[in-house]
mmCIF file of all heavy atoms in Angstrom:
data_model
loop_
_atom_site.group_PDB
_atom_site.id
_atom_site.type_symbol
_atom_site.label_atom_id
_atom_site.label_comp_id
_atom_site.label_asym_id
_atom_site.label_seq_id
_atom_site.Cartn_x
_atom_site.Cartn_y
_atom_site.Cartn_z
ATOM 1 N N GLU A 452 146.454 96.307 143.678
ATOM 2 C CA GLU A 452 145.550 97.346 143.174
ATOM 3 C C GLU A 452 144.246 96.799 142.591
ATOM 4 O O GLU A 452 143.165 97.345 142.861
ATOM 5 C CB GLU A 452 146.291 98.200 142.145
ATOM 6 C CG GLU A 452 145.602 99.519 141.826
ATOM 7 C CD GLU A 452 144.566 99.373 140.740
ATOM 8 O OE1 GLU A 452 144.651 98.408 139.941
ATOM 9 O OE2 GLU A 452 143.626 100.212 140.692
ATOM 10 N N PRO A 453 144.287 95.709 141.801
ATOM 11 C CA PRO A 453 143.009 95.167 141.281
ATOM 12 C C PRO A 453 142.042 94.776 142.397
ATOM 13 O O PRO A 453 140.823 94.908 142.226
ATOM 14 C CB PRO A 453 143.457 93.940 140.468
ATOM 15 C CG PRO A 453 144.863 94.259 140.066
ATOM 16 C CD PRO A 453 145.440 94.980 141.235
ATOM 17 N N LEU A 454 142.577 94.284 143.526
ATOM 18 C CA LEU A 454 141.689 93.892 144.628
ATOM 19 C C LEU A 454 140.998 95.102 145.230
ATOM 20 O O LEU A 454 139.838 95.021 145.649
ATOM 21 C CB LEU A 454 142.499 93.168 145.713
ATOM 22 C CG LEU A 454 143.121 91.816 145.328
ATOM 23 C CD1 LEU A 454 143.837 91.200 146.519
ATOM 24 C CD2 LEU A 454 142.057 90.851 144.798
ATOM 25 N N SER A 455 141.692 96.233 145.270
ATOM 26 C CA SER A 455 141.089 97.436 145.848
ATOM 27 C C SER A 455 139.971 97.975 144.972
ATOM 28 O O SER A 455 139.106 98.709 145.448
ATOM 29 C CB SER A 455 142.152 98.516 146.072
ATOM 30 O OG SER A 455 142.638 99.013 144.825
ATOM 31 N N ARG A 456 139.961 97.612 143.706
ATOM 32 C CA ARG A 456 138.889 98.051 142.803
ATOM 33 C C ARG A 456 137.591 97.320 143.096
ATOM 34 O O ARG A 456 136.509 97.793 142.727
ATOM 35 C CB ARG A 456 139.285 97.813 141.335
ATOM 36 C CG ARG A 456 140.558 98.524 140.895
ATOM 37 C CD ARG A 456 140.377 100.013 140.752
ATOM 38 N NE ARG A 456 139.389 100.388 139.761
ATOM 39 C CZ ARG A 456 139.678 100.517 138.457
ATOM 40 N NH1 ARG A 456 140.910 100.301 138.018
ATOM 41 N NH2 ARG A 456 138.736 100.874 137.605
ATOM 42 N N VAL A 457 137.713 96.141 143.711
ATOM 43 C CA VAL A 457 136.524 95.368 144.108
ATOM 44 C C VAL A 457 136.617 95.063 145.598
ATOM 45 O O VAL A 457 136.413 93.938 146.060
ATOM 46 C CB VAL A 457 136.398 94.061 143.279
ATOM 47 C CG1 VAL A 457 135.991 94.361 141.853
ATOM 48 C CG2 VAL A 457 137.725 93.286 143.278
ATOM 49 N N SER A 458 136.933 96.101 146.372
ATOM 50 C CA SER A 458 137.271 95.956 147.794
ATOM 51 C C SER A 458 136.166 95.349 148.633
ATOM 52 O O SER A 458 136.420 94.559 149.547
ATOM 53 C CB SER A 458 137.657 97.320 148.370
ATOM 54 O OG SER A 458 136.590 98.250 148.208
ATOM 55 N N TRP A 459 134.908 95.691 148.330
ATOM 56 C CA TRP A 459 133.817 95.188 149.144
ATOM 57 C C TRP A 459 133.720 93.667 149.023
ATOM 58 O O TRP A 459 133.613 92.961 150.030
ATOM 59 C CB TRP A 459 132.493 95.836 148.743
ATOM 60 C CG TRP A 459 131.363 95.482 149.669
ATOM 61 C CD1 TRP A 459 130.994 96.124 150.827
ATOM 62 C CD2 TRP A 459 130.459 94.373 149.532
ATOM 63 N NE1 TRP A 459 129.927 95.495 151.401
ATOM 64 C CE2 TRP A 459 129.563 94.416 150.631
ATOM 65 C CE3 TRP A 459 130.321 93.355 148.586
ATOM 66 C CZ2 TRP A 459 128.553 93.476 150.808
ATOM 67 C CZ3 TRP A 459 129.304 92.413 148.762
ATOM 68 C CH2 TRP A 459 128.439 92.486 149.853
ATOM 69 N N PHE A 460 133.770 93.171 147.797
ATOM 70 C CA PHE A 460 133.698 91.725 147.582
ATOM 71 C C PHE A 460 134.869 91.010 148.243
ATOM 72 O O PHE A 460 134.705 89.975 148.892
ATOM 73 C CB PHE A 460 133.681 91.405 146.083
ATOM 74 C CG PHE A 460 132.369 91.665 145.417
ATOM 75 C CD1 PHE A 460 132.220 92.739 144.558
ATOM 76 C CD2 PHE A 460 131.285 90.857 145.651
ATOM 77 C CE1 PHE A 460 131.021 92.997 143.925
ATOM 78 C CE2 PHE A 460 130.062 91.093 145.034
ATOM 79 C CZ PHE A 460 129.934 92.174 144.178
ATOM 80 N N VAL A 461 136.053 91.570 148.067
ATOM 81 C CA VAL A 461 137.248 90.958 148.668
ATOM 82 C C VAL A 461 137.122 90.906 150.171
ATOM 83 O O VAL A 461 137.415 89.874 150.806
ATOM 84 C CB VAL A 461 138.511 91.747 148.267
ATOM 85 C CG1 VAL A 461 139.726 91.252 149.036
ATOM 86 C CG2 VAL A 461 138.764 91.630 146.770
ATOM 87 N N GLY A 462 136.675 92.004 150.777
ATOM 88 C CA GLY A 462 136.553 92.057 152.233
ATOM 89 C C GLY A 462 135.533 91.086 152.786
ATOM 90 O O GLY A 462 135.817 90.343 153.735
ATOM 91 N N VAL A 463 134.339 91.063 152.195
ATOM 92 C CA VAL A 463 133.279 90.185 152.694
ATOM 93 C C VAL A 463 133.625 88.717 152.509
ATOM 94 O O VAL A 463 133.527 87.900 153.435
ATOM 95 C CB VAL A 463 131.940 90.493 151.982
ATOM 96 C CG1 VAL A 463 130.881 89.451 152.366
ATOM 97 C CG2 VAL A 463 131.458 91.887 152.350
#
Side-chain angles (χ1 to χ4, degrees):
E452 195 274 337
L454 295 182
S455 69
R456 301 288 298 274
V457 288
S458 58
W459 187 88
F460 284 108
V461 172
V463 172

